[in-house]
């Protein structure tokens, strides 16, 4: 006879109904027959989906957490679903009026019947303001102590081996911090206002607030037209995966922020081919002291410089450099068994990030939230890249996105070349370009090794292929020359006397402009 669990039953009863191992006495017969053939990962997903609330959010939080879970759990939890009932429309109209007064009544008069989205922390509708479509979003109440205690006591009863690493006190503390990120609507608005003031527009577009219509738990911004990213990912014409890669690298390296949700259902491809976030409720800032370290880490991994990458990774995890921990991380990477991904041509660069993350988890269990979210987003993108790749191809979209993002970084910094102090500070980080140049030089060497460029010396009937190869080599030489001029001018220019300093500054700006032009041709 199959076990039945009444609605509202305890978490332990649901877990046991799904056949998951528990601590303490059993509440119902162990599992049901029709679940016996399912793997533990699927039964865990079904259990948290049935429980909903914080349990379902926990499953969402664990998506792509390769530092905690095996690949079978990652593949299963990425498809987790937990519909959240929307805020009643009458309650929304009342809150709008209370928070915004006459403006709230105007918004309420054109509020659509069906919500745009309903998540555990937010509920939003489309409305209109002065003839233009807008988004009206309400913040839900924060998680209460009683709700958290019920979740924590319930999930701690699990002793399923596959999720043991995800149930430690450290992970539960991090999950609690992740849950609390959307608690303050004012905090969300502050981040969006800061992003709106960023002077350089990149691939990612963030909600543009209507500040006069924001108060209390109500936040409004302009509606952005576009095609949902999930609908165009398989369309090679849209090039959506590459744009997502560039947008994520921009977030980390230019804007110094990480999207702790990374929910593709909240993103659209705009008519001008940019990625627009329909909502951004869980933005995690990268500490200012670590912004340059993140940039160095990402560039070092993509350049294949593991020693430099390890140094930066330890510094981000601990907040300071430690040769002893670097040695432990190196040993952990050496002893790391690769995660087997069946029928997936996983991008090499994302595979390196994943290995670093898994090795770091064995060395420093306590890590800042932004660092884990950074790796989780890259891993998410890696799976997406592998699954959308044409048959027979192994793309590396994250690696290929480095050049365009580096070009935008140079463009963002060029406006700062007005003083010696700024030049001196920028020169400290100029080694990032050298690391990227090393990666491109390595690629060029591999092409020669694999005879991909051997047609440079081919007979005349292969002239077209030869010309293309020669252009690639010439382009590489130009990049080397421009980069050397740029670095030398930045390194020694501020110390030169009188007019020579100005000449060095002009040469640095000129070479940077040349690099931007070359990078734009490559991107």
């Amino acid at each position: 006879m199959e076990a039945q669990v009444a609605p509202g039953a305890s978490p332990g009863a649901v877990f046991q109904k799904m056949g998951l191992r528990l601590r303490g006495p059993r509440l119902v017969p162990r599992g049901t027959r029709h679940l016996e053939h399912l793997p533990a990962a699927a039964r865990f997903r079904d259990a948290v989906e049935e429980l909903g609330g914080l349990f379902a959010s926990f499953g969402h939080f664990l998506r792509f957490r390769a530092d905690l879970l095996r690949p079978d759990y990652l593949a299963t939890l990425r498809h987790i679903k937990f519909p959240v009932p929307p805020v009643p429309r009458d309650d929304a109209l009342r809150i709008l009026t209370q928070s915004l007064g006459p403006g709230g009544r105007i918004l309420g008069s054109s509020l659509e019947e069906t919500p745009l989205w309903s998540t555990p922390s937010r509920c939003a509708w489309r409305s209109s303001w002065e003839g233009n479509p807008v988004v009206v979003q309400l913040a839900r109440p924060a998680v209460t102590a009683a709700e958290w205690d019920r979740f924590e006591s319930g999930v701690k009863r699990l002793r399923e081996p596959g999720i043991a690493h995800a149930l430690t006190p450290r992970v539960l503390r991090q999950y609690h911090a992740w849950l609390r990120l959307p608690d303050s609507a004012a905090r969300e608005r502050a981040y969006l206002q800061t992003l709106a003031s960023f002077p350089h527009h990149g691939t990612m577009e963030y909600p543009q607030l209507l500040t006069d219509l924001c108060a209390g738990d109500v936040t409004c911004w302009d509606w952005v037209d576009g095609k949902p990213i999930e609908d165009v990912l398989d369309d090679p014409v849209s090039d959506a995966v590459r744009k997502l890669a560039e947008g994520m690298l921009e977030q980390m390296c230019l804007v110094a922020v990480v999207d702790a949700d990374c929910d593709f259902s909240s993103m659209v491809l705009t008519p001008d081919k940019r990625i627009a976030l329909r909502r951004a409720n869980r933005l995690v800032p990268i500490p200012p002291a670590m912004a340059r370290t993140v940039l160095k880490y990402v560039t070092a991994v993509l350049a294949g410089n593991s020693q430099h990458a390890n140094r930066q990774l330890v510094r981000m995890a601990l907040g300071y450099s430690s040769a002893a921990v670097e040695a432990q991380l190196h040993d952990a990477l050496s002893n790391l068994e690769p995660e087997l991904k069946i029928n997936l041509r996983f991008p090499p660069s994302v595979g390196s990030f994943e290995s670093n993350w898994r090795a770091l988890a064995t060395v420093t269990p306590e890590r800042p939230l932004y660092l884990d979210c950074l790796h989780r987003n890259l891993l998410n993108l890696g799976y997406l890249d592998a699954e959308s790749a044409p048959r027979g191809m192994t793309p590396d979209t994250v690696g290929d996105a480095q050049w365009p993002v580096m070009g935008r970084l140079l463009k963002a910094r060029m406006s700062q070349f007005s003083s010696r102090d700024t030049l001196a500070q920028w020169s400290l980080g100029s080694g990032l370009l050298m690391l990227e140049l090393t990666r491109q030089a390595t690629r060029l060497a591999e092409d020669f090794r694999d005879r991909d460029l051997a047609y440079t010396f081919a007979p005349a009937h292969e002239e077209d292929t030869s010309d293309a190869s020669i252009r690639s080599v010439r382009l590489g030489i130009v990049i080397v020359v421009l980069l050397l001029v740029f670095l030398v001018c930045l390194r020694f220019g501020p110390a030169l006397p009188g007019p020579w300093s100005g000449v060095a500054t002009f040469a640095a700006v000129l070479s940077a402009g040349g690099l931007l032009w070359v990078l734009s041709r490559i991107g």
Side-chain angles (χ1 to χ4, degrees):
M1 184 175 183
E2 294 188 351
Q4 301 293 326
V5 177
S10 70
V14 175
F15 289 145
Q16 283 198 354
K17 183 190 76 168
M18 296 297 175
L20 299 173
R21 293 181 177 90
L22 291 181
R23 294 181 175 85
R26 296 183 181 181
L27 303 179
V28 295
R30 179 61 179 263
T32 57
R33 282 184 184 175
H34 71 281
L35 297 174
E36 290 177 355
H37 69 285
L38 292 177
R43 286 184 274 121
F44 174 72
R45 179 202 59 199
D46 293 345
V48 295
E49 281 184 346
E50 180 175 332
L51 288 167
L54 297 186
F55 294 91
S57 291
F58 186 55
H60 180 78
F61 169 76
L62 293 177
R63 294 182 315 151
F64 301 104
R65 288 300 299 263
D67 59 323
L68 304 172
L69 302 175
R70 301 192 308 256
D72 56 332
Y73 277 84
L74 301 183
T76 302
L77 288 177
R78 65 183 302 189
H79 301 297
I80 191 170
K81 297 178 181 179
F82 55 108
V84 180
V87 174
R89 191 172 181 277
D90 291 341
D91 292 347
L93 295 176
R94 176 177 51 79
I95 294 173
L96 284 174
T97 303
Q98 292 176 348
S99 301
L100 303 177
R105 285 191 289 271
I106 295 175
L107 287 173
S109 64
S110 55
L111 201 69
E112 294 185 352
E113 293 291 336
T114 305
L116 292 170
W117 58 80
S118 179
T119 70
S121 60
R122 297 290 186 268
C123 191
W125 294 261
R126 185 159 53 182
S127 184
S128 62
W129 180 259
E130 297 180 349
N132 299 315
V134 298
V135 175
V136 179
Q137 179 179 264
L138 301 183
R140 295 181 186 268
V143 174
T144 65
E147 290 173 329
W148 175 257
D149 290 342
R150 177 178 181 271
F151 161 77
E152 190 174 30
S153 61
V155 80
K156 280 184 175 181
R157 290 202 58 195
L158 280 169
R159 61 178 183 89
E160 193 67 36
I163 57 171
H165 294 298
L167 302 178
T168 63
R170 180 199 67 81
V171 175
L172 294 179
R173 285 197 302 270
Q174 193 182 69
Y175 171 54
H176 189 256
W178 180 84
L179 273 178
R180 302 302 299 268
L181 287 174
D183 280 1
S184 172
R187 174 188 178 276
E188 178 184 345
R189 293 193 288 267
Y191 276 113
L192 294 178
Q193 286 178 322
T194 301
L195 291 172
S197 64
F198 191 69
H200 304 283
H201 298 288
T203 305
M204 196 74 76
E205 182 178 334
Y206 299 90
Q208 301 294 310
L209 292 181
L210 300 171
T211 53
D212 293 338
L213 299 177
C214 297
D217 292 332
V218 180
T219 304
C220 296
W221 59 82
D222 291 319
W223 170 259
V224 177
D225 286 321
K227 297 180 180 178
I229 282 292
E230 294 177 319
D231 294 345
V232 297
L233 285 175
D234 295 330
D235 182 4
V237 178
S238 68
D239 207 11
V241 178
R242 182 183 64 82
K243 294 181 183 299
L244 277 173
E246 290 185 20
M248 289 186 186
L249 288 183
E250 284 177 1
Q251 280 186 335
M252 302 168 192
C253 301
L254 272 72
V255 189
V257 71
V258 180
D259 186 352
D261 246 353
C262 193
D263 187 356
F264 292 147
S265 67
S266 67
M267 303 178 188
V268 296
L269 185 65
T270 63
D272 60 351
K273 304 303 180 182
R274 299 174 68 197
I275 303 294
L277 285 180
R278 284 273 171 84
R279 61 180 183 270
N281 310 136
R282 282 195 170 93
L283 296 179
V284 179
I286 296 174
M290 293 298 161
R292 186 173 296 175
T293 303
V294 169
L295 184 53
K296 290 180 180 180
Y297 169 66
V298 171
T299 309
V301 172
L302 295 180
N305 190 336
S306 58
Q307 183 178 2
H308 191 67
N310 290 350
R311 185 175 303 117
Q312 308 308 320
L313 185 57
V314 169
R315 187 167 185 268
M316 287 187 293
L318 302 180
Y320 57 87
S321 299
S322 171
V325 179
E326 286 179 37
Q328 294 176 26
L329 181 60
H330 176 76
D331 292 341
L333 280 167
S334 301
N335 299 323
L336 196 67
E337 296 183 3
E339 292 283 10
L340 184 62
K341 297 178 175 63
I342 301 175
N343 298 326
L344 276 182
R345 298 178 178 87
F346 208 65
S349 63
V350 180
S352 298
F353 283 111
E354 180 185 10
S355 297
N356 291 345
W357 192 20
R358 291 175 53 216
L360 183 68
T362 66
V363 176
T364 58
E366 198 78 33
R367 300 181 300 277
L369 179 60
Y370 82 88
L371 185 57
D372 284 334
C373 291
L374 181 151
H375 284 93
R376 190 192 71 166
N377 290 358
L378 290 171
L379 194 64
N380 189 349
L381 186 64
Y383 275 95
L384 184 64
D385 195 6
E387 293 172 351
S388 62
R391 184 179 297 274
M393 295 182 62
T394 306
D396 193 352
T397 307
V398 173
D400 294 338
Q402 177 73 351
W403 268 119
V405 174
M406 190 64 69
R408 295 186 188 107
L409 177 63
L410 277 173
K411 184 177 180 180
R413 299 303 190 198
M414 281 183 65
S415 61
Q416 302 176 3
F417 288 165
S418 57
S419 68
R420 293 186 183 182
D421 292 340
T422 304
L423 277 173
Q425 292 176 7
W426 174 240
S427 67
L428 295 176
S430 57
L432 301 172
L433 293 176
M434 184 62 76
L435 286 172
E436 174 60 14
L437 178 64
T438 302
R439 187 173 78 91
Q440 296 298 332
T442 302
R443 280 188 172 186
L444 192 62
E446 291 175 350
D447 288 339
F448 274 114
R449 182 196 65 194
D450 299 334
R451 308 184 68 86
D452 291 340
L453 299 183
Y455 294 105
T456 300
F457 309 103
H461 65 272
E462 296 183 357
E463 182 177 349
D464 293 340
T465 304
S466 177
D467 290 344
S469 300
I470 291 174
R471 282 195 297 271
S472 297
V473 174
R474 288 176 177 173
L475 202 60
I477 294 174
V478 170
I479 291 174
V480 171
V481 173
L482 288 173
L483 186 59
L484 287 176
V485 172
F486 181 72
L487 295 178
V488 169
C489 291
L490 289 182
R491 175 65 180 85
F492 300 105
L496 293 176
W500 291 108
S501 178
V503 172
T505 300
F506 177 76
V509 174
L510 195 63
S511 58
L515 277 172
L516 282 175
W517 180 79
V518 174
L519 293 176
S520 66
R521 289 176 64 86
I522 296 176

